[in-house]
């Protein structure tokens, strides 16, 4: 099925307008009228896609969270394998969407809570089956470990994207690979 270029163009215009407005206006003060004007679309076109601005913001947050989850939560669920090409792809995505990440990162607690709820049981099972923790200990530690991955990864990504540094994508990819591989390796070794 062919992608309608007009739809893509309009969606991109909405995203660009949102990013532009959010850099100078608090999110709660952005209006559909201002967004439509900035995107050079009608209010009807906006409402054809979203019920309101909260739905747009929620949609963008879910999209960004899904990209983050694809990289950092899937390895936790699937044999703890993190591929270098996937990390590099995510870092390229983060660079390309740096302004949107900066706008949406203030709501990262919602993503963390969702990640713990969604992945907590899986992580606890891993701790029991692979590392011989008791079920009670694993249930307590699983949210801690997920928080470590999510918050630690967020912190490193923020430092790389939003501070002055000379690190390349390759450097940061290598760092993420070391952290993920070594944290799992060290846990397995201690048991």
């Amino acid at each position: 099925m062919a992608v309608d270029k007009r739809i893509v163009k309009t969606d991109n215009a909405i995203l660009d307008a949102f990013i532009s407005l959010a850099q100078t206006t608090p999110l709660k003060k952005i209006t559909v009228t201002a967004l439509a004007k900035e995107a050079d679309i009608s209010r009807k076109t906006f409402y054809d896609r979203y019920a309101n601005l909260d739905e747009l913001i929620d949609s963008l947050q879910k999209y960004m969270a899904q990209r983050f989850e694809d990289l950092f939560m899937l390895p936790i669920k699937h044999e703890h394998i993190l591929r270098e090409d996937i990390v590099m792809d995510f870092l390229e995505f983060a660079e390309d969407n740096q302004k949107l990440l900066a706008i949406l990162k203030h709501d990262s607690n919602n993503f963390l809570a969702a990640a713990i709820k969604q992945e907590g049981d899986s992580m606890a099972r891993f701790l029991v089956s692979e590392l011989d923790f008791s079920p009670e200990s694993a249930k307590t530690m699983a949210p801690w470990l997920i928080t470590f991955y999510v918050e630690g990864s967020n912190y490193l990504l923020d430092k790389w994207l939003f501070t002055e540094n000379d690190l390349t994508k390759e450097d940061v990819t290598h760092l993420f690979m070391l952290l993920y591989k070594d944290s799992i390796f060290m846990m397995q070794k201690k048991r």
Side-chain angles (χ1 to χ4, degrees):
M1 181 174 182
V3 175
D4 187 334
K5 291 180 183 179
R6 294 172 299 168
I7 292 173
V8 172
K9 182 179 177 183
T10 301
D11 289 344
N12 287 338
I14 291 170
L15 177 60
D16 291 344
F18 174 75
I19 291 171
S20 177
L21 290 170
Q23 290 179 36
T24 59
T25 308
L27 294 183
K28 295 293 181 193
K29 294 194 178 213
I30 295 174
T31 65
V32 172
T33 301
L35 184 80
K37 182 178 179 183
E38 182 78 18
D40 197 25
I41 62 171
S42 69
R43 289 172 44 92
K44 181 187 178 318
T45 299
F46 176 84
Y47 285 119
D48 286 345
R49 288 165 171 73
Y50 304 101
N52 52 44
L53 279 169
D54 288 338
E55 187 176 297
L56 168 64
I57 293 168
D58 186 54
S59 173
L60 291 172
Q61 287 172 329
K62 284 180 182 174
Y63 172 69
M64 300 302 266
Q66 184 61 51
R67 289 301 304 257
F68 189 86
E69 182 178 335
D70 289 346
L71 176 64
F72 296 109
M73 294 310 293
L74 289 179
I76 291 172
K77 293 168 61 175
H78 300 288
E79 300 179 21
H80 302 272
I81 297 169
L82 183 62
R83 291 186 8 226
E84 196 167 323
D85 61 318
I86 294 173
V87 176
M88 184 68 75
D89 180 57
F90 178 80
L91 293 176
E92 287 173 12
F93 165 79
E95 270 186 323
D96 292 344
N97 293 281
Q98 185 173 356
K99 288 179 181 176
L100 184 58
L101 279 169
I103 292 164
L104 298 178
K105 73 180 181 178
H106 74 278
D107 200 24
S108 62
N109 286 339
N110 287 342
F111 172 65
L112 179 59
I116 290 170
K117 182 178 179 181
Q118 183 175 326
E119 308 302 337
D121 290 340
S122 175
M123 179 59 78
R125 283 192 298 278
F126 169 78
L127 292 170
V128 170
S129 66
E130 299 295 321
L131 304 177
D132 299 322
F133 283 101
S134 71
E136 297 79 23
S137 295
K139 185 174 182 171
T140 300
M141 288 188 296
W144 297 353
L145 193 54
I146 291 169
T147 301
F148 166 78
Y149 279 116
V150 171
E151 293 295 329
S153 298
N154 260 338
Y155 179 80
L156 292 175
L157 191 60
D158 276 357
K159 288 298 181 187
W160 178 59
L161 288 175
F162 304 110
T163 64
E164 240 354 92
N165 64 71
D166 296 328
L167 297 176
T168 64
K169 277 191 291 280
E170 291 78 11
D171 291 334
V172 179
T173 297
H174 186 66
L175 178 60
F176 276 119
M177 296 297 294
L178 287 172
L179 290 173
Y180 272 81
K181 286 180 181 178
D182 285 353
S183 64
I184 297 301
F185 172 75
M186 292 305 291
M187 285 192 306
Q188 289 172 330
K189 192 173 183 177
K190 290 200 182 267
R191 299 307 291 169

